Amino acid sequence: MELKRRFSNAISRRDFARSVALGGPAAFLATPALAWRRPDPLPATPASPDERFWDSVRKQFVMPADLAMMNAANLCPSSSPVLETMYSNTRDIDRDASFNNRVKMAEGKENTRKLLAEFLRVTPEEIVITRNTSESNNLVSSGVDLKSGDEVVLFSDNHPSNYIAWKEKAKRFGFTIQVVDQVNPHPGGDYYVEAFTRRLNARTKLLAFTHLTSTVGDLLPAEELCRIARERGILTLIDGAQSFGLLEVDLGRIQPDFYSGSAHKWPCGPKETGVLYIHKSAQSKIWPSIYSAYPGAIGISKTFEAFGQRDEPAIIAFGEALKFQTKIGRKAIEKRARELTQALIEGLKKIDGVKLWTHPDPRRSAAVVSFQPGGLNIKKLSDALYERDRIAGAPRLGEDRPGLRFSPHFYNSHKEVERVLAAIKRYMAAGA
Ligand SMILES: Cc1ncc(COP(=O)(O)O)c(C=O)c1O
């Protein structure tokens, strides 16, 4: 014991001496693995943002300049301000984990709830901070009281957390599932309003669909689907994993009962933080799935969000990510991602042998673009793009609309889109 104490004292004396030699405690902490250059402050967004402005936005991220990250639908990087918030709060807790020091962390969590409510244009009393979209979707499918004789209507292109989850829970609770199939190419919003309407009947209790699909980026008519359900007293769950942080989502207008999202996708927030919105009128219709300590302070979070000990620094950094996007402007972000997408789609259309799965009409798609690169081996092509060309997309293997998926966001540039198109053209001509 004595030896251990003397050893640790020796280390701290040695560290202190080194710290002083390096220019004081701050310099000592800046170990290469933890430090990153703080970017210049983000300039105000001009009325018509140009490539120079978007370049300064890109510099807020620690991604290397030569890497074209076009996989926002899967996972987005966090900006430097978000990293810094996460790091400084984590360090604060690890420096002093007392209840007294952590009071401010609970306040930070409530601040993120407020920011989420502003972002989604609802009230903080309707916000639950979760781990991710998967958890949010499952809190709904486990929490709504459904039984034999009840029906749930699903979209066939829902993510497993909003499809398989319902099918498995139907086995357990006895309700039945009706499915509306996706159609490719996207047949238009009216088609889906009619197709879903045909599936609704007196037994239907809930309609669960995806705002923007992760497979081929089909945009569903969320507001109309919520309206037809609401008129019949049917609850709605919108999976917003691909719309939250990309589109200027206004839940006050769309009026779903439930909306789910992840911070680590389009909002560029920390990993493993997410949101579940629960409309005031639906709060009495859902049971909590988890009962534990540390609930939220207001509204539904008081009963629904007692999830035990949380990663509060990540939750606080989630708020920072929302502030970052709000500062740039959500309209500007959506416009930028859509503009890059249109350039990508237009270029892909001109490459011989490419078959687009994504509809080019911006009323039917947003920033998720999938296509089949002729007969090329998809895995090989995806690996070659990453290894030789420093382009990261997502391979879509299997039978269902196979190919490559690119999902550009506001940190990408037109130059990167051109690089992607040139590379695809080259591989289509010469093989992967
Ligand atoms: C539409 C959709 N829903 C849910 C999810 C699951 O998201 P997470 O892994 O963040 O829970 C995804 C992930 O890609 C998705 O695309």
Side-chain angles (χ1 to χ4, degrees):
M1 190 67 191
E2 175 58 13
L3 186 69
K4 207 168 156 191
R5 193 179 58 78
R6 273 172 34 211
F7 185 58
S8 75
N9 281 347
I11 287 185
S12 55
R13 269 199 305 277
R14 198 176 60 219
D15 286 352
F16 182 74
R18 208 171 126 221
S19 150
V20 170
L22 284 169
F28 175 65
L29 280 173
T31 57
L34 289 178
W36 58 90
R37 208 188 129 261
R38 182 177 280 162
D40 293 337
L42 190 61
T45 309
S48 308
D50 54 11
E51 287 303 297
R52 238 182 91 200
F53 169 73
W54 291 115
D55 187 48
S56 63
V57 169
R58 165 62 175 250
K59 290 200 169 93
Q60 302 292 314
F61 290 84
V62 297
M63 283 177 282
D66 70 330
L67 180 63
M69 259 324 299
M70 293 246 183
N71 196 19
N74 172 240
L75 190 77
C76 285
S78 291
S79 64
S80 281
V82 172
L83 288 180
E84 204 168 315
T85 304
M86 208 156 46
Y87 172 68
S88 59
N89 283 284
T90 303
R91 183 171 179 276
D92 188 337
I93 284 189
D94 290 323
R95 207 181 46 78
D96 176 354
S98 66
F99 280 120
N100 309 58
N101 187 43
R102 284 186 288 141
V103 170
K104 59 180 184 276
M105 299 287 166
E107 288 164 5
K109 183 171 78 171
E110 292 311 313
N111 188 48
T112 294
R113 192 182 318 285
K114 278 198 204 118
L115 291 165
L116 273 164
E118 278 165 27
F119 202 83
L120 293 169
R121 303 196 179 129
V122 292
T123 67
E125 285 77 9
E126 297 170 298
I127 296 290
V128 177
I129 302 171
T130 61
R131 283 174 52 225
N132 51 32
T133 311
S134 300
E135 182 171 79
S136 300
N137 288 342
N138 275 276
L139 286 169
V140 176
S141 53
S142 295
V144 175
D145 211 356
L146 295 166
K147 54 191 176 313
S148 171
D150 293 338
E151 279 186 15
V152 169
V153 175
L154 303 178
F155 185 42
S156 68
D157 220 5
N158 281 356
H159 184 268
S161 61
N162 196 23
Y163 190 78
I164 304 288
W166 285 108
K167 292 207 155 183
E168 289 303 307
K169 288 168 204 189
K171 289 183 203 162
R172 178 174 168 202
F173 297 114
F175 59 87
T176 50
I177 302 280
Q178 295 285 339
V179 176
V180 169
D181 286 325
Q182 66 82 23
V183 175
N184 192 274
H186 191 314
D190 290 348
Y191 170 89
Y192 281 123
V193 172
E194 211 187 304
F196 277 100
T197 305
R198 264 188 272 116
R199 282 276 187 271
L200 306 180
N201 61 53
R203 293 183 300 280
T204 315
K205 293 290 182 292
L206 191 141
L207 164 56
F209 65 95
T210 308
H211 201 176
L212 178 67
T213 66
S214 56
T215 48
V216 299
D218 283 341
L219 189 57
L220 265 70
E223 195 174 336
E224 290 83 347
L225 292 178
C226 289
R227 183 180 48 75
I228 57 163
R230 196 168 51 251
E231 285 168 358
R232 292 161 176 79
I234 296 166
L235 295 169
T236 42
L237 163 61
I238 304 180
D239 179 327
Q242 303 297 344
S243 60
F244 176 50
L246 164 65
L247 306 181
E248 227 196 332
V249 173
D250 178 349
L251 294 186
R253 187 169 51 76
I254 299 174
Q255 296 253 324
D257 290 288
F258 309 105
Y259 176 90
S260 55
S262 298
H264 43 250
K265 291 191 189 281
W266 302 89
C268 302
K271 286 63 186 165
E272 231 181 340
T273 47
V275 64
L276 173 62
Y277 160 78
I278 307 182
H279 191 286
K280 265 187 224 81
S281 66
Q283 293 179 1
S284 59
K285 297 176 187 154
I286 185 164
W287 290 88
S289 294
I290 294 173
Y291 294 89
S292 181
Y294 313 123
I298 55 169
I300 184 74
S301 75
K302 287 203 277 189
T303 47
F304 206 86
E305 200 191 281
F307 293 157
Q309 188 66 57
R310 308 295 301 271
D311 185 350
E312 284 157 332
I315 292 173
I316 293 167
F318 187 2
E320 192 63 33
L322 302 175
K323 281 200 259 175
F324 183 78
Q325 284 213 343
T326 306
K327 183 161 181 233
I328 293 169
R330 294 177 54 202
K331 205 185 269 307
I333 288 175
E334 176 176 343
K335 191 158 172 261
R336 172 67 171 178
R338 282 180 172 278
E339 215 175 83
L340 295 170
T341 304
Q342 281 304 311
L344 184 60
I345 289 179
E346 284 311 309
L348 287 170
K349 278 204 254 175
K350 292 187 195 129
I351 301 176
D352 274 350
V354 162
K355 178 180 170 45
L356 268 170
W357 298 118
T358 304
H359 203 288
D361 181 346
R363 285 166 302 182
R364 302 183 196 190
S365 63
V368 179
V369 180
S370 291
F371 63 96
Q372 187 159 24
L376 290 183
N377 179 298
I378 292 156
K379 174 83 172 74
K380 267 195 194 161
L381 174 61
S382 174
D383 289 347
L385 283 167
Y386 180 70
E387 282 153 23
R388 289 190 226 150
D389 303 280
R390 302 282 285 152
I391 294 168
R396 285 189 36 78
L397 308 171
E399 299 289 305
D400 177 24
R401 296 157 294 168
L404 278 181
R405 183 189 70 188
F406 290 120
S407 35
H409 204 1
F410 64 114
Y411 45 69
N412 291 119
S413 65
H414 279 288
K415 275 208 181 94
E416 287 177 329
V417 170
E418 283 158 23
R419 256 177 65 204
V420 169
L421 292 170
I424 299 293
K425 203 168 167 182
R426 181 163 37 86
Y427 288 119
M428 286 296 288

